[in-house]
Amino acid sequence: ENVDPQKTAFLLRKAWTLYSVTPLYRFHRARLRDYARLLSAFIAAEKQKGLAVEVGVELDIKVAVSSLADLRGSEQDQAAVLVQLSLRSRASSRNSEDKLVWLGWFCSMYGDDLSENVPEDFTCLPLFLTHGAESYTSMVGSWFQKTFDCCFRRLAISPLNLSWMVAMWAGCKLDRAASAVELVFSMPRLSQPLDISYAIHPEDAKALWDTVQKTPGEITQEEVDVFMDCLYAHFHRHFKIHLSAAKLVKVSTVVASAHCDGIVKILHSQYLPGVLMLLTELAISQIQ
Amino acid sequence: HLATSLPLPSERDHFRPRIDLIVFMIDIKSKYSLKNVEASLAYVDASFFLGKVCFLVTGVGRVNACSIDMNAVCKLGETYCSPVLFCELELEGIRVATAQRLLRMLQICAGHIPGVSALSFVSLMRKSDDD
């Protein structure tokens, strides 16, 4: 669990789109360079076919596939796999760098529930996070699906799970000035969409969570319910609106933010493993 | 008769026919609906819990919009010894089937089906390891 913050700094402060992935068949870590080459050829072929074309997008994509050795939870977890797509720079000068256009990584953080029950030849990396154009995501996903017989699905996050996240993350120790804890609700059954944003001072939120949580390190559904009920009651007292009847669509804390469409941003390297562990769990329950 | 919560207004008590079945509706997308049902249960006379109460959970087609803990709902059913039905009102087939089920239950609770009474539901609710 000792993840070098320097190595994982590039994962922070990016909006990642989440997918669950079923186990990969016959994925060999020794062949990462080969996979990069094959994926590169696949992308070039797709572009030739005229699929997934964006106006002005260059044809020359360089693919790099690498292993992030430290990014795993338990002994049974596979180390994370990173896929990077860059535009090969046209200029011949050595100063010009390839421009990174798309990032995707497979990860398993304490995904033992899945990896324990899977036959040999299968590699479990149930969480897939992407950053960049959807057209690239779709090409990379297609290649992986064809090559390793796996299945990708967008990972949606239910309001119930979002409330777990906000309770957990609002309770995290703050070592410096923190941003507000924000919850965004979408009001149902209106002719025009209406969102309500409820922002709470992070110290107040943490103080509330501290009175609710009984055992440090453990969280129960009852505790999350009490925490949320306090927030709902407070809001109702002031505005006479029952937020509990609305749909919680986004939560934001200093640790991370998450949207129900399956988009997360991790802001604090200290809590990276914790957030990934939660997301891995969600991915696994979507697969099973 | 539809009501958003209990107790029913007392002014209309003498107009009201006998109540044979109470169906508490819980919307999976609304925590508020669960809280409302829990609060309303306090106003129900104990005799209703001998088979004349059931919980109907709606919106189960959209698991990704789930705002309530399903364990809490099942526990509610166990605590009050009443069946918990699940349905998705947005799908016509399921809506119709659920309506037919409820109608059947109502017929039994109203005593229209000879040989079967509301108490039958209670005995169906008991787990096999209770015996």
Side-chain angles (χ1 to χ4, degrees):
Chain A
E1 242 213 59
N2 295 325
V3 181
D4 182 0
Q6 289 225 327
K7 290 206 196 117
T8 54
F10 75 99
L11 300 174
L12 302 179
R13 288 174 294 279
K14 281 193 176 67
W16 298 104
T17 305
L18 306 177
Y19 296 82
S20 66
V21 191
T22 56
L24 306 168
Y25 184 61
R26 295 232 174 116
F27 176 86
H28 300 295
R29 215 161 274 269
R31 297 194 57 200
L32 294 184
R33 289 245 173 102
D34 292 338
Y35 296 150
R37 242 192 319 260
L38 291 167
L39 178 52
S40 185
F42 177 79
I43 291 175
E46 292 289 294
K47 296 243 157 168
Q48 292 256 327
K49 277 194 253 174
L51 296 171
V53 171
E54 274 171 34
V55 175
V57 168
E58 305 277 327
L59 288 175
D60 212 359
I61 296 286
K62 193 171 88 173
V63 178
V65 181
S66 55
S67 216
L68 294 169
D70 296 329
L71 211 49
R72 56 145 106 191
S74 68
E75 280 305 305
Q76 277 187 293
D77 277 328
Q78 292 281 333
V81 174
L82 176 68
V83 179
Q84 296 175 87
L85 265 52
S86 329
L87 278 181
R88 227 180 278 274
S89 57
R90 282 288 174 90
S92 50
S93 80
R94 280 163 60 219
N95 289 341
S96 60
E97 282 184 3
D98 294 331
K99 181 173 166 238
L100 189 62
V101 293
W102 185 93
L103 272 180
W105 50 296
F106 296 85
C107 158
S108 177
M109 187 67 67
Y110 295 100
D112 300 347
D113 273 353
L114 186 66
S115 51
E116 273 168 358
N117 299 317
V118 130
E120 286 198 27
D121 285 346
F122 281 97
T123 304
C124 287
L125 287 163
L127 186 63
F128 184 51
L129 306 91
T130 70
H131 179 80
E134 165 63 29
S135 51
Y136 291 124
T137 304
S138 148
M139 284 192 278
V140 173
S142 299
W143 184 81
F144 271 88
Q145 285 188 146
K146 279 215 299 243
T147 313
F148 303 107
D149 201 23
C150 59
C151 181
F152 289 80
R153 267 178 68 197
R154 272 297 288 265
L155 184 64
I157 308 176
S158 68
L160 187 65
N161 287 319
L162 284 175
S163 60
W164 268 81
M165 289 176 186
V166 73
M168 273 171 47
W169 299 341
C172 288
K173 270 219 241 318
L174 312 164
D175 48 353
R176 52 179 168 83
S179 51
V181 171
E182 195 193 349
L183 298 91
V184 180
F185 294 84
S186 165
M187 304 310 284
R189 291 188 289 275
L190 294 178
S191 52
Q192 284 186 318
L194 175 67
D195 280 356
I196 292 182
S197 165
Y198 183 10
I200 306 152
H201 194 285
E203 280 171 19
D204 291 342
K206 173 146 172 50
L208 175 61
W209 178 248
D210 287 343
T211 64
V212 170
Q213 187 182 29
K214 294 189 195 61
T215 324
E218 263 179 46
I219 302 181
T220 65
Q221 180 65 55
E222 285 78 29
E223 288 166 353
V224 175
D225 285 343
V226 169
F227 180 78
M228 294 302 292
D229 285 344
C230 286
L231 298 183
Y232 291 145
H234 181 85
F235 197 86
H236 182 255
R237 217 174 308 135
H238 289 275
F239 300 105
K240 299 287 177 262
I241 292 177
H242 288 288
L243 286 178
S244 52
K247 182 185 176 193
L248 180 57
V249 294
K250 183 175 176 196
V251 299
S252 252
T253 66
V254 69
V255 169
S257 68
H259 188 281
C260 62
D261 288 342
I263 299 173
V264 301
K265 220 186 240 191
I266 307 169
L267 303 164
H268 230 284
S269 62
Q270 187 188 348
Y271 295 104
L272 180 62
V275 174
L276 290 178
M277 184 166 84
L278 184 55
L279 298 177
T280 302
E281 213 181 297
L282 289 185
I284 291 176
S285 57
Q286 185 164 282
I287 294 169
Q288 286 175 339
Chain B
H1 182 86
L2 288 177
T4 54
S5 68
L6 295 180
L8 297 174
S10 54
E11 308 89 60
R12 320 219 49 228
D13 267 347
H14 45 286
F15 289 121
R16 205 167 285 128
R18 185 191 69 209
I19 294 174
D20 291 316
L21 175 66
I22 304 179
V23 179
F24 287 101
M25 295 182 64
I26 300 169
D27 183 0
I28 201 179
K29 302 189 289 298
S30 166
K31 184 81 194 287
Y32 175 73
S33 69
L34 179 60
K35 288 248 163 278
N36 194 12
V37 163
E38 284 171 345
S40 298
L41 280 163
Y43 294 98
V44 176
D45 186 76
S47 62
F48 277 94
F49 295 109
L50 293 171
K52 297 197 175 181
V53 167
C54 98
F55 298 100
L56 182 64
V57 181
T58 66
V60 299
R62 297 188 190 276
V63 160
N64 288 332
C66 181
S67 292
I68 62 179
D69 175 31
M70 290 316 293
N71 287 336
V73 174
C74 294
K75 225 166 120 188
L76 203 62
E78 279 171 26
T79 309
Y80 288 94
C81 230
S82 301
V84 182
L85 304 182
F86 298 90
C87 77
E88 175 50 76
L89 294 178
E90 289 182 31
L91 296 174
E92 196 191 334
I94 300 182
R95 196 168 64 228
V96 168
T98 306
Q100 286 171 339
R101 253 177 116 178
L102 289 174
L103 198 56
R104 196 75 180 142
M105 285 174 69
L106 180 57
Q107 283 175 320
I108 294 171
C109 291
H112 291 186
I113 311 289
V116 188
S117 78
L119 287 173
S120 320
F121 294 126
V122 180
S123 57
L124 284 175
M125 290 298 299
R126 274 172 49 203
K127 291 188 262 200
S128 55
D129 46 51
D130 280 354
D131 294 329

